[in-house]
């Protein structure tokens, strides 16, 4: 062994190849290797095949780290770490090969391949709980990264405790040496690893490892997470409700270690986020509230109105920014989900989109937001329309004279709807632009959250909002909200 303060590295001269024997274990195939060690699949009579880790490059520090790893994985009573099966820890590691064996496990990428997003996240709840148990024993992993997460018996586990820190362990990290994996390392582990809090660094690294698992971006990202950048989980999974996860990533990757949640809090909040995504009712009501907070970041008013057409389009596009968030009630009865808003070709008109190839055309007069206090499911948006003249296309008007069923054959040009049914116009196939439209001449639309009580009562599809004035409808909803509060 080298003298104190020196790191004379000596490679073990025993050559390993397939078929070689190490401590009664027969090496079958090389599974992986790093600067200090090799991992092989190995077989032994009367034992299941195992992974054997061999220390191939020996100095005082590398061997002490090897001993520390075997100590933790063999003595720590925590589920979720890959345990030892067998080991050889010689007094003189230059004379014989140090090794230990563990069950063969599956690497993270293969385990989660094609797994639904929420199932991947659910497995990280278990990891967070295991990490919390380790931290309760004052044990820090300090090298959490995808390569050190393995799946065994259907659950994810921590492996490779070569940089572990635990009570009374000799500090082997030089003061200016960084510790950890490049793409998941906490910033303090780059600057002053020997003095840094390993538990807080573990949470940082676990969060970045989760981000990698959810996005497939193996090189991770630098610095703190931001949901408003290309790092956003929404960028990779647009149909998932992400706010709770976004906030968790932001806090876990804070540059200030003191501001990060604990491992236990990581698991708890990840679980809450998954539960909301699996419960559409809770998710919808939560997103409906967040929509209002987004539109009114400095405080929610009891009422607000917009008359500018660009502002109306912008607000309504926020209303439909999350999938299935809203339900739109027509002035003629019935309802649908709004998926987009744009300016129409007719001057001062807008198009409400309910699917890719159709639209509702109208001239907006005013968009109003109404709020009713603590329960946001009663809050709604009401779109009042200007009265406009019919298009002049024959047979398009409904019996009440409020809506025209048309086909837009080219931008702003309307023809009879039946051409859509026959898929031709003037004997020619319809152009790609052609689409069916409803052109509204008057009335009002209202927009509620999909899981609001108003939308869950089928009777509200009778267009009652359009049979009342703006003030009367607000008073009607106010009474309903107050009655609901008393009933619960």
């Amino acid at each position: 062994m080298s003298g104190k303060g020196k790191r004379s590295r000596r490679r073990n001269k025993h050559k390993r190849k397939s078929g070689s024997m190490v401590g009664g274990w027969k090496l079958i195939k090389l599974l992986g290797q790093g600067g200090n060690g090799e991992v092989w699949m190995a077989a032994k009579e009367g034992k299941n095949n195992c992974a054997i880790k061999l220390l191939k490059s020996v100095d005082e520090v590398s061997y002490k780290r090897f001993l520390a790893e075997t100590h933790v994985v063999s003595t720590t009573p925590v589920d979720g770490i890959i345990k030892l099966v067998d080991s050889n820890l010689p007094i003189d590691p230059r004379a014989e090969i140090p090794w230990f064996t563990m069950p063969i496990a599956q690497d993270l990428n293969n385990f989660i391949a094609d797994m639904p997003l929420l199932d991947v996240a659910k497995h990280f709840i278990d990891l967070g709980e295991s990490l919390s148990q380790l931290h309760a024993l004052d044990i820090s992993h300090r090298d959490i990264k995808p390569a050190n997460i393995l799946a065994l018996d259907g659950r994810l586990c921590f492996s490779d405790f070569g940089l572990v820190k635990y009570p009374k362990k000799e500090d082997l990290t030089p003061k200016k040496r960084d510790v950890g994996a490049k793409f998941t390392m906490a910033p303090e582990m780059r600057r002053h690893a020997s003095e840094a809090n390993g538990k807080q660094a573990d949470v940082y690294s676990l969060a970045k490892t989760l981000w990698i698992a959810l996005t497939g971006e193996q090189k991770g990202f630098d610095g703190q997470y931001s949901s408003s950048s290309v790092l956003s989980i929404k960028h990779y999974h647009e149909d998932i409700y992400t706010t709770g996860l976004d906030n968790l990533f932001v806090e876990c990757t804070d540059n200030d270690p003191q501001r990060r949640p604990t491992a236990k809090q990581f698991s708890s909040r990840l679980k809450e986020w998954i539960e909301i995504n699996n419960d559409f009712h809770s998710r919808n009501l939560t997103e409906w509230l967040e929509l209002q907070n987004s539109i009114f970041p400095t405080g929610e008013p009891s009422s607000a109105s917009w008359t500018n057409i660009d502002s109306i389009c912008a607000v309504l596009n926020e209303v439909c920014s999350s999938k299935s968030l809203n339900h739109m009630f027509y002035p003629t009865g019935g309802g649908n989900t709004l998926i987009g808003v744009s300016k129409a070709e007719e001057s001062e008109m807008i198009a409400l989109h309910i699917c890719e190839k159709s639209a509702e055309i109208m001239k907006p007069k005013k968009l109003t937001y109404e709020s009713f206090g603590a329960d946001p499911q009663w809050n709604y948006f009401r779109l009042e329309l200007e009265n406009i003249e019919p298009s002049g296309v024959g047979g398009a008007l409904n019996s009440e004279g409020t809506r025209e069923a048309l086909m837009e054959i080219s931008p702003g040009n309307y023809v009879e709807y039946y051409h859509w049914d026959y898929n031709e116009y003037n004997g020619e196939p319809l152009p790609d632009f052609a689409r069916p439209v409803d052109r509204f001449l008057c009335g009002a639309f209202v927009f509620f959250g999909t899981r609001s009580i108003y939308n869950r009562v089928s009777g509200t599809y009778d267009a009652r909002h359009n049979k009342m004035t703006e003030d009367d409808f607000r008073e009607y909803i106010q009474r309903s909200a107050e009655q609901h509060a008393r009933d619960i």
Side-chain angles (χ1 to χ4, degrees):
M1 195 76 72
S2 62
K4 186 176 180 180
K6 298 181 180 179
R7 291 197 62 182
S8 175
R9 187 178 296 274
R10 183 173 300 182
R11 185 170 296 275
N12 196 294
K13 296 181 179 180
H14 296 276
K15 187 175 182 181
R16 273 83 60 177
K17 61 181 181 179
S18 181
S20 298
M21 299 296 296
V22 177
W25 291 87
K26 182 178 180 180
L27 305 186
I28 300 174
K29 66 176 180 179
L30 185 65
L31 299 177
Q33 57 184 325
N36 292 328
E38 297 176 344
V39 179
W40 289 74
M41 179 186 293
K44 187 174 185 179
E45 187 175 350
K47 300 278 189 180
N48 293 327
N49 285 2
C50 283
I52 185 168
K53 182 172 182 178
L54 311 169
L55 188 62
K56 67 178 183 180
S57 187
V58 180
D59 62 26
E60 183 176 6
V61 171
S62 67
Y63 191 49
K64 284 183 177 180
R65 292 196 189 281
F66 194 80
L67 293 174
E69 179 174 11
T70 59
H71 170 75
V72 168
V73 297
S74 62
T75 63
T76 304
V78 172
D79 291 332
I81 62 177
I82 306 293
K83 302 294 179 64
L84 284 188
V85 174
D86 196 3
S87 65
N88 178 52
L89 307 173
I91 295 175
D92 184 358
R94 296 170 298 180
E96 55 180 311
I97 304 171
W99 56 265
F100 60 79
T101 61
M102 300 179 294
I104 292 177
Q106 189 177 15
D107 70 73
L108 175 63
N109 287 337
N110 286 334
F111 180 69
I112 65 174
D114 301 320
M115 185 180 290
L117 176 81
L118 296 181
D119 289 347
V120 175
K122 188 175 181 180
H123 281 288
F124 273 77
I125 294 175
D126 293 335
L127 276 179
E129 290 174 350
S130 296
L131 189 60
S132 177
Q133 293 173 38
L134 287 170
H135 289 175
L137 297 171
D138 206 17
I139 298 172
S140 305
H141 187 286
R142 303 203 306 168
D143 194 20
I144 296 174
K145 58 184 178 181
N148 289 342
I149 306 296
L150 301 176
L152 182 65
D153 298 329
R155 69 158 291 168
L156 293 181
C157 302
F158 293 108
S159 68
D160 198 338
F161 283 77
L163 298 179
V164 69
K165 188 173 184 179
Y166 54 84
K168 298 183 179 180
K169 181 199 171 194
E170 179 184 353
D171 190 356
L172 303 174
T173 304
K175 289 192 177 297
K176 295 185 179 181
R177 177 88 45 96
D178 60 10
V179 168
K182 178 180 179 181
F183 297 119
T184 60
M185 187 191 306
E188 65 272 20
M189 299 300 282
R190 299 180 187 275
R191 297 191 295 263
H192 44 79
S194 60
E195 294 88 17
N197 185 313
K199 299 172 188 176
Q200 295 164 342
D202 280 348
V203 171
Y204 182 102
S205 298
L206 183 61
K208 287 209 166 181
T209 300
L210 173 58
W211 185 90
I212 291 170
L214 297 181
T215 63
E217 300 285 353
Q218 296 302 313
K219 292 186 177 180
F221 62 89
D222 295 326
Q224 188 173 17
Y225 175 85
S226 171
S227 61
S228 61
S229 72
V230 294
L231 304 178
S232 174
I233 290 294
K234 203 77 171 179
H235 177 71
Y236 297 87
H237 303 280
E238 60 182 17
D239 292 339
I240 294 292
Y241 167 69
T242 63
T243 302
L245 184 63
D246 289 334
N247 293 337
L248 182 59
F249 278 144
V250 168
E251 294 174 36
C252 287
T253 58
D254 197 300
N255 195 59
D256 181 354
Q258 299 293 333
R259 296 172 64 89
R260 297 173 199 155
T262 64
K264 185 175 183 178
Q265 291 168 334
F266 172 92
S267 287
S268 176
R269 290 174 58 181
L270 187 59
K271 183 178 180 181
E272 290 174 1
W273 173 74
I274 293 171
E275 288 174 346
I276 287 179
N277 271 282
N278 284 328
D279 180 353
F280 179 70
H281 179 79
S282 297
R283 168 182 170 174
N284 187 259
L285 295 181
T286 300
E287 288 187 289
W288 191 247
L289 174 60
E290 290 178 358
L291 161 71
Q292 295 156 54
N293 292 338
S294 173
I295 295 174
F296 305 107
T298 59
E300 178 190 353
S302 61
S303 184
S305 295
W306 301 266
T307 56
N308 176 272
I309 192 170
D310 291 319
S311 297
I312 290 172
C313 288
V315 172
L316 288 179
N317 273 314
E318 284 293 313
V319 169
C320 59
S321 59
S322 294
K323 184 178 180 181
S324 303
L325 174 60
N326 74 87
H327 201 80
M328 174 176 73
F329 293 82
Y330 288 85
T332 50
N336 221 318
T337 299
L338 180 68
I339 65 170
V341 185
S342 63
K343 289 184 178 180
E345 291 298 323
E346 289 189 77
S347 177
E348 300 181 313
M349 304 275 273
I350 64 173
L352 306 184
H353 304 284
I354 56 173
C355 65
E356 185 178 350
K357 288 296 289 184
S358 67
E360 322 289 21
I361 307 293
M362 65 208 66
K363 184 176 181 179
K365 179 180 181 180
K366 178 176 65 172
L367 178 67
T368 303
Y369 167 75
E370 303 288 358
S371 171
F372 300 91
D375 192 348
Q377 67 175 310
W378 293 101
N379 301 348
Y380 66 87
F381 297 83
R382 180 183 176 100
L383 179 64
E384 295 282 346
L385 308 185
E386 294 276 14
N387 293 345
I388 59 173
E389 294 298 319
S391 65
V393 175
L397 271 174
N398 64 358
S399 58
E400 293 82 15
T402 59
R403 180 180 66 181
E404 296 179 288
L406 302 162
M407 187 182 75
E408 192 172 12
I409 188 68
S410 63
N413 296 314
Y414 306 113
V415 297
E416 295 89 346
Y417 178 86
Y418 73 82
H419 294 290
W420 179 259
D421 290 334
Y422 288 104
N423 197 32
E424 65 175 18
Y425 180 67
N426 289 339
E428 297 291 334
L430 295 179
D432 290 340
F433 176 84
R435 62 180 181 175
V437 300
D438 284 327
R439 188 172 179 270
F440 287 84
L441 310 184
C442 58
F445 289 74
V446 291
F447 305 85
F448 281 84
T450 302
R451 293 300 298 168
S452 66
I453 291 177
Y454 189 86
N455 187 43
R456 286 183 282 144
V457 175
S458 60
T460 58
Y461 281 63
D462 63 359
R464 63 189 62 184
H465 68 279
N466 196 53
K467 301 168 186 175
M468 306 179 197
T469 66
E470 179 181 353
D471 289 340
D472 288 344
F473 185 68
R474 177 181 169 84
E475 291 177 7
Y476 166 69
I477 296 298
Q478 180 79 56
R479 291 194 302 270
S480 299
E482 291 172 352
Q483 182 61 52
H484 176 69
R486 287 192 294 269
D487 291 343
I488 59 175

